[in-house]
Amino acid sequence: MLYFDLAVIFYILSFLLLIVNFHFNKMMLQALQTVFTGVAALANIVALMLHWQDMRQLHSYSIFDLMVFVALALAIVYLLMNLKYKRPYLGLFLLPMIIIAGLVALFAASESPADNLSFAMDNLWLYLHIPLIVIGTAFFLTAFATGLMYFIMEQQLKKKKFGKIFERFPSLDMLDRINRAALYIGFGSYTAGILCAAGWVSFRVTHASLFANNPDLGASFQLKLFFAMLVWVMLGIILLLKTKRGMTARQTALASIMGFVAVLFAYAAVALFIVR
Amino acid sequence: MQLSILGLNHNTAPIAVREKLSVPEQELAQAYKKLFADSRVIEATILSTCNRVEYYIVTKEDVDILDAIATSCGINEQTLREHSYIHCGSNALRHMVAVASGIDSLVLGEPQIFGQVKDAFRFARDHGSVHAYINRLEQFVLRTTKKVRTDTGISENAVSVSYAAVDLAKKIFGSLADKRALIIGAGEMCELAVEHLVGAGIGGITVTNRTLSKAEDLARQFAGKAVAFDKFADSLHEADIVISSTGAPVAVVESGMVKRAMTKRKREPMFFIDIAVPRDIAEDVGKLDNVYVYDIDDLKQVVEANRKEREHEATKAIELINGAVIRFEHEMDSLAADPLIVALREQTLSVFEQEFQKYCAKNPVSEEEKEKLMAMCNAMANKLLHAPVKSLKSYVGSGGSYSMAEAARLLFNLEK
């Protein structure tokens, strides 16, 4: 917990520094902000590993685990995207998401003790499924952020506002490139995650007796899988349209925002189900 | 050594006077020869650009460089006095960096002057008019100018209409390498815009004009293609960027035309720059999705905002230059101690060497012991010299007046 508290503090500091640098635009501040994000991500990794060690198995059933993982995946995607495209101001949208995930995790941890896990979850398919879906989600969130940035930047250009946003935000073309990359990688990761879930379902069918005492557990994963499949199919259609019909950058940005809403819907439903 | 600058620029002298003093590259040798005819001049560099002419002169002591330069240029001394400025010492150093950084330029922060200053130093070296002082000065000016450029935003953001148009295009398309521009009109403004687009690496240029031959001339100049004015609408969809500057009394690009082009190009973004008055692009074109239209007033607004930003950065640059000049002067002062330090070291080592030889002549000393004794002598010499060397470097340029006893205390770092 201590490490995760530290991670959240550094994520918040990194976000504050990014806002300050949005005004001043200094290389030194930028470098410091990247270091803060890196430190936060490291603390996040340590927190996750120590938690796994405490529980003596990888588990991803509680909201705490899920949100710690989402925060980490988003932070890593942000660092990677920044490394490749050198566009730190993506963080104006990604860091608040990371901070929200972190705060939700801390709140969830204090509200309820960590779940005792069913040994039925201790299966390779599930170990792969959850990280892949979370990483996929992190990329979709990135696509959502760039989609939002695209529309903001477009408005600046249309309304001829030459302020800080106009100066600092990437070009429309760059936003489209980041958006596309995030959508494709996210879709790939989601696809792999869903295939792993299918593997887990087949495991469940062949070991039905493991679930005999806990029918809710099986039902929850069926529902989760259903929503994940829904999002996957929808995003698959968007990417298919983009590839085959040649969607414009603007349409792709819009699709990314719709994709995010769908993911949010799926997670909200899953969270409600888990809370219940 | 005394550094003095005599110069005149766009603020101080009309072009007729600047012309008289300007020194084309092919006449530099002659100009340096005339300068060095005055025996007081030790080192010199001439910077001659379209907006300024400056002489950087190094002399042994204070001299009236106005008279030296007026004589060498064959210009009336009174005229030169009226239109020129003279800087000496720290002011001269500050001025040199301000010039090289573009702070003193007609267009604040313009980058070309840096290259011209570098060339001036190079030409001076080629003509043998540069020695130790200007060599160090050159390093200082270039180093500080680079720092000014990287640490401040003095050269960031476009301050001309054509540059602003290219910058805006980059905000939409990122790289222009795979983009095509259509130029409607073949006047001076269009030519300037094309120059900047080509400089920014545009993928291709198409030119159209009511007089086709003019369009062909401009297209040829930039390896582009020309289309007839009544046919340009058919190729509008190929253009990502459209720059228009015709004298037409009504709009030449209507929204229907752009809508058709957008359909053909699958709604990929289009950027229109309208630098004509009255405007060439119909007002409703800008309302179309993925279409961005900027007129001359919009571009001027960008330029004005950028200019203010550069002025703000110039204040930071001046602070940075002031700090650098103080450090450079200190560095130069401590260099003046170098010959003294060398002489002191040689004398001390020679005393040790003599005493060592005397000792070896009187006493049987093995080779191994000789080496050890020599190492000890060197160590003692270094220890003895440490305090005076440090004091010499610190106080050589201080210019204070001390009694012999005070000087000795300072030199050997002795307690009172």
Side-chain angles (χ1 to χ4, degrees), chain B residues 9-259:
Chain B
N9 64 20
H10 51 277
N11 289 323
T12 65
I15 191 154
V17 179
R18 297 207 304 272
E19 271 171 357
K20 277 188 190 166
L21 241 78
S22 99
V23 188
E25 199 184 324
Q26 60 275 17
E27 290 172 20
L28 272 172
Q30 189 63 21
Y32 279 118
K33 199 174 164 187
K34 282 182 185 170
L35 260 183
F36 283 103
D38 187 327
S39 59
R40 296 169 302 174
V41 177
I42 299 172
E43 296 181 53
T45 296
I46 301 169
L47 170 71
S48 180
T49 73
C50 52
N51 278 327
R52 72 175 64 241
V53 182
E54 293 193 341
Y55 286 77
Y56 307 136
I57 307 286
V58 178
T59 51
K60 239 188 183 147
E61 59 236 7
D62 281 352
V63 292
D64 180 8
I65 59 164
L66 195 120
D67 128 73
I69 290 165
T71 313
S72 89
C73 297
I75 190 170
N76 179 283
E77 203 176 316
Q78 186 54 34
T79 312
L80 190 60
R81 194 180 301 279
E82 270 172 33
H83 296 290
S84 65
Y85 44 86
I86 294 177
H87 298 297
C88 298
S90 311
N91 288 339
L93 292 170
R94 271 191 283 275
H95 177 79
M96 281 180 87
V97 185
V99 167
S101 312
I103 294 172
D104 202 44
S105 294
L106 184 61
V107 178
L108 182 64
E110 58 96 3
Q112 286 88 351
I113 187 70
F114 183 53
Q116 289 166 330
V117 169
K118 275 208 280 193
D119 286 344
F121 281 124
R122 186 165 53 83
F123 292 144
R125 221 177 7 258
D126 293 347
H127 288 95
S129 67
V130 163
H131 305 292
Y133 190 92
I134 289 190
N135 265 331
R136 285 189 182 273
L137 189 66
E138 177 187 359
Q139 285 167 22
F140 161 73
V141 170
L142 301 186
R143 189 177 63 226
T144 314
T145 304
K146 279 180 192 163
K147 195 162 170 56
V148 167
R149 288 189 177 278
T150 48
D151 290 8
T152 72
I154 185 86
S155 301
E156 281 170 16
N157 305 316
V159 285
S160 79
V161 166
S162 322
Y163 262 127
V166 172
D167 271 5
L168 282 167
K170 284 182 180 170
K171 278 285 174 192
I172 298 168
F173 301 111
S175 160
L176 303 184
D178 58 346
K179 303 296 172 217
R180 189 157 196 95
L182 170 68
I183 314 297
I184 307 174
E188 198 181 327
M189 284 297 273
C190 285
E191 194 175 334
L192 205 58
V194 177
E195 264 178 33
H196 287 312
L197 281 171
V198 170
I202 189 85
I205 299 272
T206 305
V207 187
T208 186
N209 192 53
R210 285 188 199 280
T211 315
L212 184 60
S213 61
K214 283 188 180 173
E216 284 169 341
D217 286 348
L218 187 58
R220 203 175 302 117
Q221 209 176 323
F222 295 98
K225 64 175 185 180
V227 292
F229 194 76
D230 55 353
K231 295 273 191 298
F232 85 81
D234 299 337
S235 56
L236 191 61
H237 67 282
E238 292 171 7
D240 303 287
I241 299 165
V242 178
I243 298 178
S244 189
S245 179
T246 71
V250 290
V252 293
V253 179
E254 300 286 354
S255 67
M257 206 187 269
V258 180
K259 272 184 196 165

Side-chain angles (χ1 to χ4, degrees), chain B residues 387-411:
Chain B
V389 164
K390 205 175 158 193
S391 304
L392 273 173
K393 282 188 174 173
S394 302
Y395 291 98
V396 74
S398 68
S401 75
Y402 305 97
S403 69
M404 186 63 86
E406 283 168 338
R409 276 203 189 93
L410 282 175
L411 194 61

